[in-house]
Amino acid sequence: MTHPAQPKASHFINGEYVEDTAGTPIPVIYAATGEQIATVHAATPAIVEQALSTAKAAQTAWARMTGTERGRILRRAADIMRERNHELSVLETYDTGKPLQETLVADATSGADALEYFGGLAASLTGEHIPLGDDWVYTKREALGLCVGIGAWNYPTQIACWKGAPALACGNAMVFKPSETTPLCALKVAEILIEAGAPAGIYNVIQGMGEVGGALVTDPRVDKVSLTGSVPTGKKVYAAAAEGMKHVTMELGGKSPLIIFDDADIDNAVGGAINGNFYSSGQVCSNGTRVFVQKGIKEKFLARLAERTGNAILGDPMDEATSFGPMVTENQMNIVLGYIEKGKEEGARLICGGKRADMDGYFIEPTVFADVTDDMTIAREEIFGPVMSVLDFDTEEEVVARANDTEFGLSAGVFTKDFTRAHRVIGNLEAGSCFINSYNDAPVEAPFGGVKASGVGRENSKEAIKHFSQVKSVYVRMGDVEAAF
Ligand code: NDP
């Protein structure tokens, strides 16, 4: 019997499901059991061509619609996503293995927020009038044209919407390629947009590995590439986009600092560290994986952290009581277990976890290392799993310098009751998305993105509009033209 997660076909182009079984089969594995639940096929060159030419053809008419009309469609899509939240959350759980307890509140709902927010902004994308005596300049905010979105595997619905909603609000068309690991959810986003009244062809989804992404990025018809992925992939995609002088948004990895001063409320700080390391089993780019704790409260903090981490419920992700799911794939599990071994070898003190959980699926116990030093591998490299490194510090000056000593710059957080210090420390940290007495909140109203190797551009908020549109300026002369000859 066909599994309910199996999509009707692999791709969604020009308003309908499209199949081409000549493409390499991609098995979809449910991370909680290891069973294959669906198969899709990578896009063949013919499918890539169909998606790009369809999107290119559909974009002009879409951009000519009024912002109010475009916005209405996006807001209707948001409503449909919210009505179907349960069904979409179950699919997200099949796609990623994340527990339903999370997917019910963080995935289709976050996608719907983006559709609603950018739907609301679509009608407000206006230009300026700049008077110059009798003459004047006016500006228009125009679409870029054909945009490509490429997603990572940790938030397949959210990423499809965070890229699609602002792109479409600005009058662009999109071809979206999900990660080969999680190909299911973006198809539903495309389906819902059509149901909401979007013209066929403005949002297309095609499957494939890096080579399909590469074909999209290098196509001369493509005006913009928005990638969520790792830093090495980001470097390749950025370079390929530069060849064609394309616009880019790069949402890449991180190794973010979470700094806890000794005046912090311990339970809130522990809660922040848990949210910043164990949500989605640690598979979150903005995670605060270097937890710097001031020496005075170190042991108290560790004791409370171990106690609360012991309350994590590992189990069937479809059971809403489960609060901690598996790694997305066996491969990702092995990578993370490798880092845990490195942590032990390099002398970090294991506080809790530290091994694969004794159950089916790709579960790793939530793991905390203490006495981690700046040079240890687990403190330098992005692990993308449930491994928290706790480091000690004495002074504010010292911790800021150590926190900034990394190639990454996605996020940073600080816990303290001293508000002057909180703002000063955040001001001195090299990071794009920051938190004071909190961690990992990502409302659509707030810009999201990194500095240094963690990325270029911002998603969400009004900032995203700047990255999916461009300004045309028009000089208007009222008098005669003077010329030298
Ligand atoms: P990858 O970098 O491996 O892949 C990202 C996407 O790029 C996938 O769809 C992948 O396809 C595709 N891709 C790979 N090579 C190329 C290429 N040469 N040209 C075009 N596309 C290509 O990342 P993961 O999927 O492993 O995701 C984890 C990473 O994503 C982590 O580093 C994490 O920090 C980062 N991330 C960043 C976020 C942010 O907003 N800053 C949010 C979430 C994750 P395929 O999978 O089929 O190979």
Side-chain angles (χ1 to χ4, degrees):
M1 208 183 81
T2 311
H3 193 278
Q6 174 66 46
K8 285 184 204 148
S10 300
H11 320 289
F12 196 94
I13 303 172
N14 206 19
E16 56 190 23
Y17 278 97
V18 176
E19 189 55 274
D20 181 352
T21 52
T24 310
I26 300 174
V28 185
I29 309 291
Y30 182 37
T33 60
E35 73 177 311
Q36 182 170 341
I37 54 171
T39 309
V40 296
H41 293 269
T44 55
I47 289 286
V48 174
E49 177 53 35
Q50 200 183 334
L52 288 172
S53 55
T54 298
K56 181 80 187 156
Q59 190 262 326
T60 313
W62 174 245
R64 284 214 181 106
M65 285 168 66
T66 66
T68 306
E69 288 168 325
R70 287 198 303 272
R72 193 178 300 135
I73 291 167
L74 298 183
R75 284 184 287 110
R76 217 180 277 143
D79 290 344
I80 298 172
M81 285 192 79
R82 289 209 181 90
E83 279 159 24
R84 303 216 186 122
N85 182 39
H86 195 274
E87 163 199 334
L88 294 169
S89 303
V90 168
L91 190 68
E92 174 94 19
T93 292
Y94 277 131
D95 221 1
T96 61
K98 291 185 295 183
L100 200 55
Q101 189 189 90
E102 280 189 21
T103 56
L104 282 170
V105 296
D107 294 283
T109 52
S110 164
D113 284 353
L115 289 161
E116 183 175 9
Y117 178 85
F118 289 106
L121 278 187
S124 69
L125 308 180
T126 55
E128 271 190 301
H129 173 265
I130 305 163
L132 293 164
D134 290 339
D135 298 349
W136 73 90
V137 167
Y138 68 90
T139 64
K140 297 172 73 176
R141 187 154 286 281
E142 295 188 335
L144 299 174
L146 174 48
C147 300
V148 160
I150 301 178
W153 40 255
N154 54 349
Y155 283 84
T157 307
Q158 186 188 82
I159 295 172
C161 293
W162 280 19
K163 298 190 189 307
L168 267 47
C170 294
N172 302 286
M174 177 162 272
V175 175
F176 184 81
K177 188 203 84 67
S179 163
E180 68 173 285
T181 305
T182 53
L184 306 177
C185 296
L187 292 167
K188 285 287 166 194
V189 174
E191 208 182 292
I192 286 169
L193 279 163
I194 290 294
E195 204 178 320
I202 59 142
Y203 188 87
N204 308 278
V205 175
I206 63 172
Q207 309 295 348
M209 286 69 102
E211 65 194 42
V212 171
L216 294 173
V217 172
T218 49
D219 191 281
R221 287 165 292 186
V222 171
D223 300 291
K224 150 117 200 182
V225 180
S226 177
L227 170 83
T228 297
S230 61
V231 172
T233 302
K235 286 180 181 168
K236 276 191 234 159
V237 171
Y238 200 173
E243 279 293 313
M245 209 58 86
K246 300 178 200 306
H247 298 255
V248 295
T249 299
M250 295 282 147
E251 294 296 350
L252 309 176
K255 191 75 198 176
S256 300
L258 170 55
I259 300 173
I260 298 167
F261 285 95
D262 57 14
D263 66 341
D265 178 290
I266 295 261
D267 257 305
N268 284 334
V270 167
I274 287 173
N275 289 343
N277 281 271
F278 298 142
Y279 203 70
S280 302
S281 300
Q283 302 167 114
V284 180
C285 52
S286 50
N287 272 355
T289 45
R290 289 183 296 145
V291 180
F292 291 93
V293 180
Q294 206 162 16
K295 279 187 184 148
I297 53 161
K298 174 182 161 181
E299 292 307 329
K300 203 166 156 199
F301 175 86
L302 287 172
R304 189 72 184 114
L305 177 64
E307 190 185 332
R308 284 181 58 180
T309 301
N311 296 334
I313 300 173
L314 285 66
D316 175 5
M318 293 296 175
D319 180 346
E320 281 185 50
T322 298
S323 58
F324 189 87
M327 296 288 94
V328 71
T329 57
E330 189 173 13
N331 184 42
Q332 186 63 17
M333 177 185 73
N334 289 329
I335 290 171
V336 175
L337 289 172
Y339 275 110
I340 290 174
E341 287 316 306
K342 267 253 174 264
K344 292 175 187 166
E345 275 163 37
E346 291 182 5
R349 170 164 58 115
L350 187 65
I351 300 292
C352 56
K355 59 182 191 319
R356 186 174 180 178
D358 185 18
M359 56 203 287
D360 285 345
Y362 312 131
F363 289 83
I364 294 178
E365 293 175 355
T367 297
V368 176
F369 281 109
D371 303 341
V372 177
T373 53
D374 296 341
D375 54 337
M376 288 182 187
T377 310
I378 55 169
R380 301 220 66 82
E381 297 182 12
E382 184 184 46
I383 299 174
F384 227 58
V387 183
M388 186 193 307
S389 293
V390 178
L391 304 93
D392 318 337
F393 75 95
D394 288 303
T395 68
E396 176 183 323
E397 201 185 8
E398 167 213 336
V399 77
V400 167
R402 289 170 59 199
N404 286 336
D405 182 20
T406 166
E407 64 165 325
F408 301 108
L410 185 49
S411 294
V414 57
F415 276 81
T416 175
K417 291 202 184 94
D418 178 344
F419 256 68
T420 312
R421 175 162 64 187
H423 293 291
R424 187 173 58 235
V425 168
I426 289 294
N428 287 327
L429 288 172
E430 296 161 358
S433 303
C434 298
F435 310 91
I436 292 178
N437 291 333
S438 191
Y439 206 86
N440 259 354
D441 315 75
V444 67
E445 296 86 348
F448 181 80
V451 301
K452 294 159 76 178
S454 291
V456 174
R458 292 291 177 272
E459 297 202 295
N460 287 341
S461 80
K462 285 181 257 177
E463 288 297 312
I465 295 294
K466 296 182 195 157
H467 297 288
F468 278 107
S469 62
Q470 57 197 340
V471 173
K472 175 179 277 175
S473 95
V474 183
Y475 190 104
V476 181
R477 182 175 295 283
M478 296 299 283
D480 294 330
V481 174
E482 281 181 28
F485 52 88

